[in-house]
Amino acid sequence: MFDESLLDDPDALSRADFHGLLRGAAESGARVRTAARNAAEAGVESIRPDGRPRAVLVAGPGPVAGCTADLLTALAGGSAPVTLIRPTGVAAAPGALRWALPGWTGPLDLLLVASPDGTEPGLAILLEQAYRRGCSVVCVTPAGSPLADATAQVRGLAVPLTASPSEARTSGEPGAHTGEERPDGAERPVLTAGPGLLWSLLTPLLVLADRIGLLAADSPSVEALADRLDEVAERCGPAIATYTNPAKTLAAELAGTVPLIWTEGALAAAAGRHFATVLAALAGRPALAAELPEALTAHATLLSGDFAAGADPEDFFRDRVEEPEALHARVVLLREQEPDLTSPAPAARELALQRETPVSELEPAEGDSPLQTAAELLAITDFAAIYLALASTP
């Protein structure tokens, strides 16, 4: 059940948000500024590289590492290949996860490790592998953690993680729960990487990528990124009414639906995959992300099958009290810029209209830098996932 009236009751939202998710999302801009200072103090800005690395490898627990690799790939624009090292193991617990370098890794490559917990022995083993192969290492992890010590032992660069007390409870494990209960006695799942933590991990890596020539993220660009996150927090805050709040509007539109997140552009694709992840992890809502134009064929059957808008002819006779409403698909179009003549967005809208499927659209302001575009898409969708979670009752 989705209680839309809760969205316009800031006090009720605050009572429901006992994990501080809205606060975590609102402080993202401050996280970026603090993380940039931490990176400078750790010596990132003083690095004098000999040139770009041959390849960049990204490793870490949970979905944050994947989103980091996605964003670096989109922002680097092909200047160097970015590869995500996925963990293996019998469980998602930090002690069970293991990572292994690709066989081709060598002295010309750069390993980036992002760990919000810093206790994974598998990552320490990965650092030893990188040291033996002569691979450069940069690790973003809590100061004083075992992983920070392991980074120093292999002569890598450790950047202290910027974190808040509300995130100290999470370990970055996929599918983790805090085990805490809501006031009604039901357990609520929380994000394995709470809102804002992504920027704490990503910002030092952006500063580093700027130093080695992978992308443009100098000090003014990072400050503009933080400002954009602050602007989105103001527009999407709990005190802003639903009809002028893009995140609350999107949350209300997604209630009772299976979101089909269709994206146009590399940055939008990264944001779309992240949105699908947080919808599942936080709101318990299944969502599918796909890039246009491939999404038009990959998801076409979903728009004419059981999840189509008119798939249940008996819905008129459904008991609105005793029988839950059937889930129907809703398309969410995420774009980096206004569509041009070569854009597949018009075809996507036409297909959705033909199948009587509603469409939500999200597009950043025109003329944004790539960093600002990523910030707006990620921040609005994070807020929307939080509102969907807070206003939903089991």
Side-chain angles (χ1 to χ4, degrees):
M1 298 292 293
F2 181 78
D3 183 3
E4 189 170 349
S5 64
L6 191 70
L7 295 179
D8 288 323
D9 187 341
D11 291 335
L13 283 172
S14 179
R15 290 191 298 270
D17 187 20
F18 63 94
H19 285 306
L21 298 174
L22 287 171
R23 181 180 67 248
E27 67 185 10
S28 294
R31 294 290 194 85
V32 167
R33 296 184 182 92
T34 304
R37 288 196 299 270
N38 287 345
E41 292 171 1
V44 172
E45 293 186 346
S46 63
I47 292 176
R48 298 291 183 268
D50 295 330
R52 293 177 183 172
R54 178 183 62 175
V56 177
L57 301 105
V58 179
V64 171
C67 186
T68 298
D70 269 351
L71 288 172
L72 290 178
T73 298
L75 292 167
S79 59
V82 180
T83 300
L84 174 65
I85 304 176
R86 299 186 182 277
T88 59
V90 297
L97 295 175
R98 293 292 182 270
W99 291 260
L101 292 174
W104 47 261
T105 307
L108 299 179
D109 304 316
L110 172 64
L111 172 63
L112 305 178
V113 177
S115 170
D117 191 53
T119 62
E120 302 86 357
L123 286 176
I125 295 173
L126 181 69
L127 297 185
E128 293 175 3
Q129 294 177 19
Y131 179 70
R132 289 195 299 269
R133 298 197 193 181
C135 180
S136 301
V137 172
V138 175
C139 185
V140 183
T141 191
S145 65
L147 192 57
D149 295 338
T151 305
Q153 291 174 6
V154 300
R155 301 179 183 177
L157 177 62
V159 181
L161 173 69
T162 302
S164 73
S166 63
E167 290 171 350
R169 296 188 296 264
T170 63
S171 63
E173 304 167 19
H177 295 250
T178 62
E180 297 180 39
E181 292 185 347
R182 304 186 321 179
D184 60 7
E187 182 183 291
R188 181 190 292 280
V190 298
L191 279 173
T192 58
L197 182 55
L198 170 64
W199 295 108
S200 295
L201 291 165
L202 180 62
T203 301
L205 303 182
L206 292 175
V207 176
L208 172 68
D210 177 75
R211 295 300 303 166
I212 61 179
L214 288 182
L215 51 87
D218 56 11
S219 295
S221 298
V222 172
E223 184 62 32
L225 163 65
D227 290 342
R228 177 54 57 89
L229 289 171
D230 288 342
E231 292 171 9
V232 173
E234 292 178 3
R235 291 165 50 204
C236 298
I240 306 302
T242 298
Y243 68 91
T244 59
N245 188 319
K248 287 183 179 180
T249 299
L250 182 57
E253 291 172 346
L254 294 183
T257 72
V258 176
L260 304 181
I261 305 168
W262 293 356
T263 62
E264 183 180 359
L267 282 173
R273 286 188 286 270
H274 179 72
F275 189 27
T277 297
V278 296
L279 282 173
L282 178 59
R285 182 62 50 88
L288 297 174
E291 299 179 46
L292 292 171
E294 290 86 351
L296 301 180
T297 53
H299 291 173
T301 305
L302 288 170
L303 301 184
S304 58
D306 292 340
F307 294 109
D312 186 4
E314 303 298 328
D315 186 69
F316 178 81
F317 302 100
R318 176 176 58 86
D319 187 320
R320 263 52 179 177
V321 177
E322 299 296 334
E323 299 178 39
E325 183 179 359
L327 292 177
H328 296 304
R330 185 181 188 98
V331 170
V332 180
L333 277 179
L334 296 185
R335 297 190 305 272
E336 298 176 12
Q337 57 189 7
E338 186 176 348
D340 57 21
L341 292 177
T342 63
S343 171
R349 288 194 209 93
E350 183 178 356
L351 175 63
L353 290 174
Q354 289 176 351
R355 305 294 173 84
E356 300 180 349
T357 301
V359 178
S360 301
E361 300 192 40
L362 186 59
E363 177 185 309
E366 186 177 355
D368 284 347
S369 70
L371 283 177
Q372 291 172 309
T373 295
E376 181 151 345
L377 293 176
L378 288 167
I380 292 178
T381 51
D382 271 352
F383 269 105
I386 293 170
Y387 286 126
L388 187 60
L390 297 181
S392 298
T393 57

